[in-house]
């Protein structure tokens, strides 16, 4: 299985896999801790609930790039640890301030540059694959499962760089309940 790196957030998967392992170790024998962390933590770790065969293939296919990015991530974590160990309040403040600015830009950029479709999708095996197979020529630049729970419809977010691509996809998926977001031409 060869999966292009740009289509899959493998970096996020590696981080989340480690976070799940660390959390499980930290809360070993403490069921209350797991329950308290469960809500938000479960939401941000959904990606590692997917098929391990797929993620192993993504990692193998993109070994060099992922290894480089993990090394960079480890350097950043070490820098952050050093700030904490040195009790460098100014450095920590600066780090969090810069991160806040970058995070806030994400929201602004998505409002200005992208065109989204939000699709209600049934809780059925193969439902997401069915949508994706119909969008082969639709130039989807980002796909995210926003909500997917047992026995209720989920929400699939599809992002496009142009209103034309967004309209083309909406036409292909006209039998789904769709909400559009983004400037219209």
């Amino acid at each position: 299985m060869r999966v292009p790196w740009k289509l899959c957030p493998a970096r996020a998967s590696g981080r989340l896999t480690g976070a799940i392992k660390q959390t499980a170790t930290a809360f070993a024998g403490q069921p209350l801790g797991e329950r308290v962390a469960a809500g938000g933590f479960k939401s941000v770790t959904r990606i590692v609930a997917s098929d391990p065969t797929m993620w192993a293939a993504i990692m193998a296919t993109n070994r060099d790039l992922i290894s480089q990015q993990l090394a960079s991530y480890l350097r950043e974590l070490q820098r952050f640890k050093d700030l904490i160990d040195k009790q460098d309040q100014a450095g920590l403040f600066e780090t969090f301030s810069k991160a806040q600015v970058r995070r806030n830009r994400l929201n602004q950029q998505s409002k200005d540059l992208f065109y989204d479709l939000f699709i209600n999708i049934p809780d059925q095996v193969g439902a997401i694959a069915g949508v994706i197979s119909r969008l082969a020529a639709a130039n989807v630049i980002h796909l995210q499962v926003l909500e997917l729970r047992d026995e209720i419809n989920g929400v699939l977010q599809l992002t496009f760089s142009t209103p034309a691509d967004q309209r083309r996809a909406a036409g292909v998926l006209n039998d789904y309940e769709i909400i559009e977001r983004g400037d219209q031409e």
Side-chain angles (χ1 to χ4, degrees):
M1 172 187 284
R2 293 194 56 83
V3 181
W5 166 253
K6 290 182 179 183
L7 297 180
C8 299
R11 291 175 294 170
S13 175
R15 290 182 206 147
L16 295 175
T17 301
I20 288 174
K21 184 177 179 183
Q22 282 183 304
T23 301
T25 302
F27 290 134
Q30 300 179 38
L32 179 60
E34 287 182 359
R35 283 185 24 222
V36 170
F41 186 73
K42 189 174 179 183
S43 292
V44 299
T45 59
R46 284 188 199 284
I47 196 168
V48 295
S50 39
D51 182 9
T53 303
M54 176 187 73
W55 286 109
I58 290 170
M59 298 293 170
T61 301
N62 301 285
R63 180 189 68 239
D64 294 339
L65 179 59
I66 293 170
S67 181
Q68 290 168 11
Q69 290 178 345
L70 284 173
S72 174
Y73 184 62
L74 288 171
R75 283 189 302 273
E76 185 63 21
L77 285 175
Q78 184 61 53
R79 188 186 72 76
F80 196 68
K81 181 185 179 302
D82 291 345
L83 291 172
I84 293 168
D85 290 346
K86 293 175 186 172
Q87 298 182 356
D88 183 348
Q89 293 296 313
L92 289 167
F93 179 84
E94 181 182 356
T95 299
F96 281 112
S97 293
K98 287 180 179 178
Q100 181 184 41
V101 168
R102 284 191 299 267
R103 173 62 173 87
N104 289 340
R105 274 193 214 136
L106 292 175
N107 290 337
Q108 185 59 44
Q109 288 173 352
S110 68
K111 290 177 187 172
D112 295 339
L113 303 175
F114 301 114
Y115 304 87
D116 296 316
L117 295 180
F118 297 88
I119 302 168
N120 283 334
I121 190 161
D123 176 28
Q124 298 172 350
V125 173
I128 293 173
V131 168
I132 293 170
S133 67
R134 292 166 67 180
L135 293 172
N139 295 320
V140 176
I141 61 170
H142 181 74
L143 177 143
Q144 181 173 355
V145 178
L146 298 177
E147 187 71 38
L148 193 57
R149 299 186 187 260
D150 292 339
E151 300 178 18
I152 64 170
N153 283 348
V155 177
L156 185 64
Q157 177 182 0
L158 303 168
T159 304
F160 307 89
S161 58
T162 69
D165 289 335
Q166 181 193 43
R167 281 194 305 274
R168 192 171 19 263
V172 170
L173 300 170
N174 62 3
D175 52 328
Y176 286 89
E177 181 182 346
I178 296 175
I179 297 171
E180 296 182 23
R181 180 178 72 187
D183 296 331
Q184 303 300 312
E185 285 183 341

